């Protein structure tokens, strides 16, 4: 299976379950003219996978996109340290939504599925000292919302309501259920 993503977290989640992955990602403009935030992220996930699937029509291709939403505002990956600081301050002491959309495609077999999973994350109040410590770690820079729930950013999370792996970047349980509807079982994962 081809993973249309450079995300080390997505690769880790999928390989841990036994998928034999090739990494082939293409840069796309991550914009969508869809109306709702959910439809936008699903559209971006679809575009990321389609561009790779078109070059590999016989292969299974999977990809995903994750965003953080708070008070109707979308937080992607921070542009720089200041942007990351602003994001972390906006999340401090509040609840936010993490939406991960994934697409699974095989053009030859006419498989084209895009789904999404939404989770709530409750952040504790974060001090300026903690934010600076976290920024100094460098961890926030390649993550939507400027934190990684599986890393140092975990200390900011009071609780979650939803799918941990979706927050991390790939909703593996939801994905496996989708594969099961196609007749692909967990025992056959290493073969696709």
């Amino acid at each position: 299976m081809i993973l249309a993503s450079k995300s080390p977290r997505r690769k880790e989640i999928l390989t841990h379950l036994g998928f034999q992955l090739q990494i082939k990602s293409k840069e796309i403009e991550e914009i969508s003219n869809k109306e709702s935030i959910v439809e936008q992220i699903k559209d971006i996930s679809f575009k990321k996978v389609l561009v790779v699937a078109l070059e590999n029509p016989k292969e299974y291709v999977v990809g995903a996109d994750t965003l953080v939403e708070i008070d109707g505002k979308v937080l992607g990956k921070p542009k720089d340290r200041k942007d990351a600081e602003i994001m972390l301050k906006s999340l401090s002491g509040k609840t936010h939504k993490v939406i991960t959309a994934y697409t699974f495609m095989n053009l030859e077999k006419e498989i084209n599925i895009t789904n999404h999973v939404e989770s709530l994350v409750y952040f504790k109040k974060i001090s300026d000292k903690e934010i600076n410590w976290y920024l100094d770690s460098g961890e926030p820079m390649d993550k939507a919302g400027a934190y990684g729930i599986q890393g140092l950013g975990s200390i900011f999370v009071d609780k979650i309501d939803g799918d941990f792996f979706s927050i991390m970047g790939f909703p593996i349980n939801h994905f496996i259920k989708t594969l099961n509807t196609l007749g692909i079982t967990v025992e056959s994962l290493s073969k696709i």
Side-chain angles (χ1 to χ4, degrees):
M1 185 166 69
I2 295 171
L3 175 60
S5 172
K6 292 179 193 157
S7 165
R9 291 160 298 282
R10 291 185 183 120
K11 180 183 177 191
E12 176 190 339
I13 292 167
L14 289 161
T15 54
H16 185 71
L17 216 66
F19 286 99
Q20 303 297 309
L21 297 175
Q22 300 174 59
I23 309 298
K24 294 184 182 179
S25 68
K26 294 273 199 184
E27 293 299 318
I28 66 157
E29 200 171 3
E30 293 191 23
I31 57 169
S32 173
N33 59 4
K34 303 286 184 189
E35 244 175 75
S36 75
I37 290 171
V38 168
E39 290 307 312
Q40 287 173 20
I41 192 164
K42 286 170 71 175
D43 187 40
I44 292 167
S45 172
F46 170 79
K47 288 174 181 175
K48 284 180 172 182
V49 172
L50 179 62
V51 72
V52 174
L54 287 170
E55 292 181 356
N56 303 274
K58 296 175 186 290
E59 302 288 333
Y60 290 103
V61 183
V62 66
D65 200 40
T66 300
L67 64 75
V68 170
E69 178 195 5
I70 185 159
D71 303 327
K73 184 178 178 198
V74 173
L75 305 181
K77 294 175 185 172
K79 295 186 230 33
D80 54 31
R81 183 184 174 102
K82 187 65 182 164
D83 195 31
E85 180 183 0
I86 291 166
M87 287 184 189
L88 290 167
K89 284 184 176 182
S90 74
L91 298 174
S92 178
K94 295 183 180 173
T95 302
H96 61 273
K97 189 183 293 184
V98 178
I99 307 167
T100 296
Y102 68 88
T103 299
F104 181 64
M105 200 176 283
N106 182 306
L107 296 179
E108 186 179 77
K109 296 182 188 315
E110 298 182 354
I111 296 170
N112 177 6
I113 298 169
T114 300
N115 282 320
H116 79 285
V117 174
E118 298 180 29
S119 303
L120 294 176
V121 180
Y122 301 78
F123 256 38
K124 71 172 196 162
K125 190 90 174 125
I126 313 170
S127 70
D128 288 346
K129 239 183 189 174
E130 289 171 314
I131 288 173
N132 281 316
W133 164 82
Y134 190 50
L135 293 170
D136 287 345
S137 77
E139 185 177 275
M141 301 316 297
D142 70 337
K143 294 170 182 64
Y147 77 95
I149 194 167
Q150 74 286 358
L152 300 174
S154 62
I155 68 163
F156 304 141
V157 178
D158 270 338
K159 69 176 184 170
I160 67 167
D161 183 4
D163 183 329
F164 175 83
F165 290 102
S166 181
I167 297 164
M168 193 172 153
F170 195 84
I172 192 66
N173 179 278
H174 198 278
F175 179 61
I176 296 301
K177 287 178 185 173
T178 298
L179 293 183
N180 291 164
T181 66
L182 298 170
I184 300 169
T185 62
V186 77
E187 300 85 25
S188 65
L189 295 182
S190 62
K191 296 181 185 92
I192 69 164

Coordinates of all heavy atoms in Angstrom, one line a residue, residues 37-66:
I37 N -16.0 23.2 7.3 CA -14.7 22.8 7.6 C -14.5 21.3 7.4 O -13.4 20.9 6.9 CB -14.4 23.2 9.1 CG1 -14.3 24.7 9.2 CG2 -13.1 22.5 9.6 CD1 -14.2 25.2 10.6
V38 N -15.5 20.5 7.7 CA -15.3 19.0 7.5 C -15.2 18.7 6.0 O -14.4 17.9 5.6 CB -16.6 18.3 8.1 CG1 -16.6 16.8 7.7 CG2 -16.5 18.4 9.7
E39 N -16.0 19.3 5.2 CA -15.9 19.1 3.8 C -14.6 19.6 3.2 O -14.1 19.0 2.3 CB -17.1 19.7 3.0 CG -18.4 19.0 3.3 CD -18.4 17.5 3.0 OE1 -17.9 17.1 2.0 OE2 -18.9 16.7 3.9
Q40 N -14.1 20.7 3.7 CA -12.8 21.2 3.3 C -11.7 20.2 3.6 O -10.9 19.9 2.7 CB -12.5 22.5 4.0 CG -13.3 23.7 3.5 CD -13.1 24.9 4.3 OE1 -12.1 25.1 5.0 NE2 -14.0 25.9 4.2
I41 N -11.6 19.7 4.8 CA -10.6 18.7 5.1 C -10.7 17.4 4.4 O -9.7 16.8 3.9 CB -10.4 18.5 6.6 CG1 -9.1 17.8 6.9 CG2 -11.6 17.8 7.2 CD1 -8.7 17.9 8.4
K42 N -11.9 17.0 4.1 CA -12.1 15.8 3.3 C -11.7 16.0 1.9 O -11.1 15.1 1.3 CB -13.6 15.4 3.4 CG -14.0 14.7 4.7 CD -15.5 14.6 4.8 CE -16.0 13.5 4.0 NZ -17.5 13.2 4.2
D43 N -11.9 17.2 1.4 CA -11.5 17.5 0.0 C -10.0 17.5 -0.1 O -9.4 17.0 -1.1 CB -12.1 18.9 -0.3 CG -11.9 19.3 -1.8 OD1 -12.0 18.4 -2.7 OD2 -11.6 20.5 -2.0
I44 N -9.3 18.1 0.9 CA -7.9 18.2 0.9 C -7.3 16.8 1.0 O -6.3 16.4 0.3 CB -7.3 19.1 2.0 CG1 -7.7 20.6 1.6 CG2 -5.8 19.0 2.1 CD1 -7.5 21.5 2.8
S45 N -7.8 15.9 1.8 CA -7.4 14.5 2.0 C -7.5 13.8 0.6 O -6.6 13.1 0.1 CB -8.2 13.8 3.0 OG -7.9 12.4 3.1
F46 N -8.7 14.0 0.0 CA -9.0 13.4 -1.3 C -7.9 13.8 -2.4 O -7.4 13.0 -3.1 CB -10.4 13.7 -1.8 CG -10.7 13.4 -3.2 CD1 -11.0 12.0 -3.5 CD2 -10.6 14.3 -4.2 CE1 -11.2 11.7 -4.8 CE2 -10.9 13.9 -5.5 CZ -11.2 12.6 -5.8
K47 N -7.7 15.1 -2.4 CA -6.7 15.7 -3.4 C -5.3 15.1 -3.2 O -4.6 14.8 -4.1 CB -6.7 17.2 -3.3 CG -7.9 17.8 -3.9 CD -7.9 19.4 -3.7 CE -9.1 20.1 -4.2 NZ -9.1 21.5 -3.8
K48 N -4.9 15.0 -1.9 CA -3.6 14.4 -1.6 C -3.4 13.0 -2.1 O -2.3 12.6 -2.6 CB -3.3 14.4 -0.1 CG -3.0 15.8 0.5 CD -2.8 15.6 2.0 CE -2.3 16.8 2.7 NZ -2.1 16.6 4.2
V49 N -4.5 12.2 -2.0 CA -4.4 10.8 -2.4 C -4.6 10.7 -3.9 O -3.9 9.9 -4.5 CB -5.5 10.0 -1.6 CG1 -5.6 8.6 -2.2 CG2 -5.1 10.0 -0.1
L50 N -5.5 11.5 -4.5 CA -5.7 11.4 -5.9 C -4.5 11.6 -6.7 O -4.2 10.9 -7.7 CB -6.9 12.3 -6.3 CG -7.2 12.3 -7.8 CD1 -7.7 10.9 -8.2 CD2 -8.2 13.4 -8.1
V51 N -3.7 12.6 -6.4 CA -2.5 13.0 -7.2 C -1.5 11.8 -7.2 O -0.9 11.6 -8.2 CB -1.9 14.3 -6.7 CG1 -1.2 14.2 -5.3 CG2 -1.0 14.9 -7.7
V52 N -1.5 11.1 -6.1 CA -0.6 9.9 -6.0 C -1.2 8.7 -6.7 O -0.6 7.9 -7.5 CB -0.2 9.6 -4.6 CG1 0.6 8.3 -4.5 CG2 0.6 10.7 -4.0
A53 N -2.5 8.5 -6.5 CA -3.3 7.4 -7.1 C -3.2 7.5 -8.7 O -3.2 6.4 -9.3 CB -4.7 7.3 -6.6
L54 N -3.3 8.7 -9.2 CA -3.3 8.8 -10.7 C -2.0 8.3 -11.3 O -2.0 7.8 -12.4 CB -3.5 10.3 -11.1 CG -4.9 10.8 -10.9 CD1 -4.9 12.3 -11.1 CD2 -5.9 10.1 -11.8
E55 N -0.9 8.4 -10.5 CA 0.4 7.8 -11.0 C 0.6 6.4 -10.7 O 1.5 5.7 -11.1 CB 1.5 8.7 -10.4 CG 1.6 10.1 -10.9 CD 2.8 10.8 -10.3 OE1 3.5 10.3 -9.4 OE2 3.0 12.0 -10.7
N56 N -0.3 5.8 -9.8 CA -0.2 4.4 -9.3 C -1.6 3.8 -9.3 O -2.1 3.4 -8.3 CB 0.4 4.4 -7.9 CG 1.7 5.1 -7.9 OD1 2.7 4.4 -8.1 ND2 1.8 6.3 -7.5
P57 N -2.3 3.7 -10.5 CA -3.7 3.3 -10.6 C -4.0 1.9 -10.1 O -5.1 1.6 -9.7 CB -4.0 3.5 -12.1 CG -2.8 3.5 -12.8 CD -1.7 4.0 -11.9
K58 N -3.0 1.0 -10.1 CA -3.2 -0.4 -9.7 C -3.0 -0.6 -8.2 O -3.3 -1.6 -7.6 CB -2.2 -1.3 -10.4 CG -2.4 -1.4 -11.9 CD -1.3 -2.2 -12.5 CE -1.4 -2.2 -14.0 NZ -2.5 -2.9 -14.6
E59 N -2.5 0.4 -7.5 CA -2.1 0.3 -6.1 C -3.2 0.9 -5.2 O -3.9 1.8 -5.5 CB -0.8 1.1 -5.8 CG 0.4 0.7 -6.6 CD 1.0 -0.6 -6.2 OE1 0.8 -1.0 -5.0 OE2 1.6 -1.3 -7.1
Y60 N -3.2 0.3 -3.9 CA -4.0 0.9 -2.9 C -3.2 2.2 -2.4 O -2.0 2.1 -2.1 CB -4.2 0.0 -1.7 CG -5.1 -1.2 -2.0 CD1 -4.6 -2.4 -2.3 CD2 -6.5 -1.0 -2.1 CE1 -5.5 -3.5 -2.6 CE2 -7.4 -2.0 -2.4 CZ -6.9 -3.3 -2.6 OH -7.7 -4.3 -2.9
V61 N -3.9 3.3 -2.3 CA -3.3 4.5 -1.8 C -4.1 5.1 -0.6 O -5.3 5.1 -0.7 CB -3.1 5.6 -2.9 CG1 -2.4 6.8 -2.4 CG2 -2.5 5.0 -4.1
V62 N -3.4 5.4 0.5 CA -4.1 6.0 1.6 C -3.4 7.3 2.0 O -2.2 7.4 1.8 CB -4.2 5.0 2.8 CG1 -2.8 4.7 3.4 CG2 -5.1 5.5 3.9
G63 N -4.2 8.2 2.5 CA -3.6 9.5 3.0 C -4.6 10.2 3.9 O -5.7 9.7 4.0
A64 N -4.2 11.2 4.5 CA -5.0 11.9 5.5 C -4.6 13.3 5.7 O -3.5 13.7 5.3 CB -4.9 11.1 6.9
D65 N -5.5 14.0 6.4 CA -5.2 15.4 6.7 C -5.9 15.7 8.1 O -7.0 15.2 8.3 CB -5.7 16.4 5.7 CG -5.0 17.7 5.8 OD1 -3.8 17.8 6.0 OD2 -5.7 18.8 5.6
T66 N -5.2 16.4 8.9 CA -5.7 16.7 10.3 C -5.7 18.2 10.5 O -4.7 18.9 10.1 CB -4.8 16.0 11.3 OG1 -4.8 14.6 11.1 CG2 -5.3 16.3 12.7

